[in-house]
Amino acid sequence: MGEEEEPLAAWAARRDERVGRLRVVPLYEGRRARGAHVRPGEPRVVERWSGCAWEAFAVTRDLAEALRLVRPGEEPPGPAERCSGSWAREP
């Protein structure tokens, strides 16, 4: 095994720690925007990593519901929390 090659056991352990990971994907036609905040009222698919591929896990009504599945116990950010920085407007 070359100096730059990773042992198979280390690679398998790193791969296995990702199994079960969830991600939120927009569920609408057309080009997908990269920002999760875009079109927050649109349906989302929650996908789960199986170790080989992303598989559909749940379909939600909107971004807030999807985030409750992906991050249980955390409340989705409100409008003031999404806009941070000097350019943010005061309510």
Side-chain angles (χ1 to χ4, degrees):
M1 179 166 39
E3 189 176 308
E4 295 180 20
E5 290 185 31
E6 177 180 24
L8 182 59
W11 173 83
R14 198 176 71 250
R15 185 200 63 194
D16 289 345
E17 72 186 24
R18 295 179 188 148
V19 171
R21 181 174 170 232
L22 300 175
R23 73 175 182 181
V24 178
V25 179
L27 182 64
Y28 51 80
E29 290 190 40
R31 189 167 177 240
R32 289 188 182 166
R34 293 207 178 244
H37 65 284
V38 177
R39 300 167 77 174
E42 297 288 328
R44 299 291 201 267
V45 174
V46 177
E47 296 179 332
R48 182 180 175 274
W49 181 247
S50 70
C52 296
W54 289 101
E55 299 173 346
F57 177 75
V59 177
T60 62
R61 288 177 286 158
D62 56 21
L63 177 60
E65 187 178 336
L67 291 177
R68 282 192 291 275
L69 275 174
V70 174
R71 302 177 188 149
E74 287 184 35
E75 195 59 36
E81 295 171 30
R82 280 189 237 134
C83 299
S84 60
S86 61
W87 54 269
R89 296 181 191 165
E90 292 298 319

